[in-house]
Amino acid sequence: MALRGYFFVLVFAAIATSAFSNLSSHYYDYSCPKALSTIKTVVEAAVQKERRMGASLTRLHFHDCFVNGCDGSILLDSTSSIDSEKNSNANFQSARGFEVVDEIKQAVDEACGKPVVSCADILAVAARDSVVALGGPSWKVKLGRRDSTTASRAAADANIPAPFFSLSQLITNFRNHGLDEKDLVVLAGGHSIGYAQCATFRAHIYNDSNIDPDFAKDLKHICPTAGADSNLSPLDSTAAQFDKNYYSNLVQKKGLLHSDQELFNGGSTDELVKQYSYDTEDFYEDFAKSMIRMGNIQPLTGNQGEIRVNCRKVNE
């Protein structure tokens, strides 16, 4: 069993390394030199209009990468042969930003003169530009992903981390995607921006003991024991600004989700949470590195997949 597990790790690493070698931050320099600036312009306008949109676009990239790799599958609508990931537990009636992705795709294709930039790459760049627009760090996005021709609601349900996960479940989930404990804590910092629905944190505020009583009491006004499932609460105290306050909130036992507070609950990740709670520079630097690592999860490259004309459906 141990040898089999070791072999799996070696195979996964070999596949990831091979795929990564085909990605480059200069991928569109010649085929469409205006691609990145065009994406940035649309993202900045969308975030300026509604700051929550930055969190939504970032979340789409996260959820896309955790299903079958960063392949744009989350963008596909349901058809007779596709059970859309938009209908999964993590995305149904909560994932947003699809119209902005459509707008980016149209603008980029016009700038390039034809469909050159994949929807998967659009998600990766839009996530970076959203974080920057909300005051966070920047990084060089590796590009050259191609788009999937299928999607899986079942795979989304099985692979996207759930808000009720324990620390051990979170660690296992991330390891299954080639990411480690540090990546887990760092990428959880994406919850520095955005909101969550009542249904995702109700059990935490009513049943858990590792939560500040006054914080829980305030949340109960937003989230009663029954009903109001879609009522929103910010994921941290400065949800429209990308910063380290997410970690400060965890240290104060004010994590909104059960899975958030698990990162600071007497376990192996406590010290890293403490570090980021007072060191913005370290958090920003590590967040950029982990976003690059996550963006390299099993991308389709070369002749795999396609470059979609419409991000919502496979090419005819």
Side-chain angles (χ1 to χ4, degrees), residues 59-82:
R59 181 187 182 200
L60 286 181
H61 181 46
F62 271 77
H63 284 196
D64 182 50
C65 291
F66 268 73
V67 181
N68 287 310
C70 309
D71 60 3
S73 59
I74 193 174
L75 302 173
L76 291 172
D77 289 335
S78 289
T79 66
S80 58
S81 60
I82 293 177

Side-chain angles (χ1 to χ4, degrees), residues 167 171 181 184-185 262-264 267-273:
L167 179 59
I171 292 172
E181 278 190 40
L184 163 62
V185 178
E262 280 290 284
L263 299 179
F264 190 80
S268 59
T269 54
D270 279 17
E271 288 306 312
L272 197 53
V273 169

Side-chain angles (χ1 to χ4, degrees), residues 29-64:
D29 283 4
Y30 297 102
S31 60
C32 188
K34 295 182 180 179
L36 299 188
S37 61
T38 301
I39 296 173
K40 181 180 180 181
T41 297
V42 178
V43 169
E44 287 180 340
V47 173
Q48 184 175 14
K49 182 178 180 181
E50 181 189 0
R51 292 186 70 80
R52 277 174 52 194
M53 187 54 65
S56 298
L57 292 171
T58 305
R59 181 187 182 200
L60 286 181
H61 181 46
F62 271 77
H63 284 196
D64 182 50

Side-chain angles (χ1 to χ4, degrees), residues 220-268:
K220 289 174 182 177
H221 294 297
I222 301 171
C223 187
T225 55
D229 284 0
S230 61
N231 281 3
L232 297 175
S233 178
L235 282 161
D236 86 349
S237 55
T238 53
Q241 181 74 22
F242 193 94
D243 55 31
K244 64 177 178 59
N245 283 356
Y246 167 77
Y247 300 103
S248 301
N249 293 160
L250 296 186
V251 173
Q252 298 166 9
K253 294 188 177 181
K254 294 182 179 180
L256 182 63
L257 306 178
H258 173 87
S259 56
D260 286 332
Q261 196 58 59
E262 280 290 284
L263 299 179
F264 190 80
N265 193 35
S268 59

Side-chain angles (χ1 to χ4, degrees), residues 1-315:
M1 182 66 72
L3 287 175
R4 183 188 303 173
Y6 180 66
F7 177 74
F8 173 79
V9 171
L10 289 178
V11 171
F12 185 95
I15 293 173
T17 300
S18 176
F20 172 75
S21 66
N22 292 318
L23 300 182
S24 167
S25 58
H26 300 289
Y27 190 83
Y28 297 110
D29 283 4
Y30 297 102
S31 60
C32 188
K34 295 182 180 179
L36 299 188
S37 61
T38 301
I39 296 173
K40 181 180 180 181
T41 297
V42 178
V43 169
E44 287 180 340
V47 173
Q48 184 175 14
K49 182 178 180 181
E50 181 189 0
R51 292 186 70 80
R52 277 174 52 194
M53 187 54 65
S56 298
L57 292 171
T58 305
R59 181 187 182 200
L60 286 181
H61 181 46
F62 271 77
H63 284 196
D64 182 50
C65 291
F66 268 73
V67 181
N68 287 310
C70 309
D71 60 3
S73 59
I74 193 174
L75 302 173
L76 291 172
D77 289 335
S78 289
T79 66
S80 58
S81 60
I82 293 177
D83 192 2
S84 177
E85 293 165 22
K86 297 176 183 179
N87 296 324
S88 66
N89 293 330
N91 296 323
F92 184 64
Q93 294 184 340
S94 62
R96 302 169 64 246
F98 300 108
E99 294 80 7
V100 176
V101 173
D102 293 339
E103 186 180 350
I104 294 171
K105 177 64 172 171
Q106 180 179 354
V108 168
D109 285 356
E110 289 177 358
C112 300
K114 60 181 180 179
V116 173
V117 181
S118 69
C119 301
D121 275 349
I122 286 174
L123 284 180
V125 177
R128 188 270 310 276
D129 292 345
S130 294
V131 169
V132 173
L134 294 173
S138 184
W139 59 92
K140 288 186 177 181
V141 179
K142 302 293 184 180
L143 302 166
R145 302 169 190 80
R146 289 170 64 84
D147 298 321
S148 69
T149 55
T150 187
S152 173
R153 174 181 176 179
D157 284 336
N159 287 285
I160 298 174
F164 53 79
F165 270 11
S166 66
L167 179 59
S168 62
Q169 287 175 308
L170 290 168
I171 292 172
T172 298
N173 180 283
F174 271 63
R175 283 179 177 167
N176 288 343
H177 293 92
L179 302 172
D180 59 25
E181 278 190 40
K182 185 173 184 178
D183 292 315
L184 163 62
V185 178
V186 173
L187 292 175
H191 284 179
S192 167
I193 51 178
Y195 293 73
Q197 295 184 344
C198 164
T200 65
F201 60 83
R202 177 182 285 120
H204 179 47
I205 64 175
Y206 284 98
N207 301 332
D208 290 347
S209 59
N210 61 338
I211 183 170
D212 179 86
D214 291 332
F215 179 63
K217 181 179 179 180
D218 289 342
L219 288 170
K220 289 174 182 177
H221 294 297
I222 301 171
C223 187
T225 55
D229 284 0
S230 61
N231 281 3
L232 297 175
S233 178
L235 282 161
D236 86 349
S237 55
T238 53
Q241 181 74 22
F242 193 94
D243 55 31
K244 64 177 178 59
N245 283 356
Y246 167 77
Y247 300 103
S248 301
N249 293 160
L250 296 186
V251 173
Q252 298 166 9
K253 294 188 177 181
K254 294 182 179 180
L256 182 63
L257 306 178
H258 173 87
S259 56
D260 286 332
Q261 196 58 59
E262 280 290 284
L263 299 179
F264 190 80
N265 193 35
S268 59
T269 54
D270 279 17
E271 288 306 312
L272 197 53
V273 169
K274 284 183 182 178
Q275 178 184 336
Y276 292 145
S277 73
Y278 59 76
D279 196 327
T280 298
E281 185 175 346
D282 272 4
F283 167 46
Y284 279 13
E285 180 179 343
D286 290 344
F287 186 83
K289 291 177 181 177
S290 289
M291 284 297 289
I292 293 172
R293 282 166 57 84
M294 185 188 75
N296 294 332
I297 297 177
Q298 295 178 289
L300 300 176
T301 58
N303 294 321
Q304 299 173 312
E306 64 183 15
I307 304 299
R308 286 188 214 135
V309 175
N310 181 335
C311 289
R312 294 174 180 262
K313 60 182 183 180
V314 299
N315 296 341

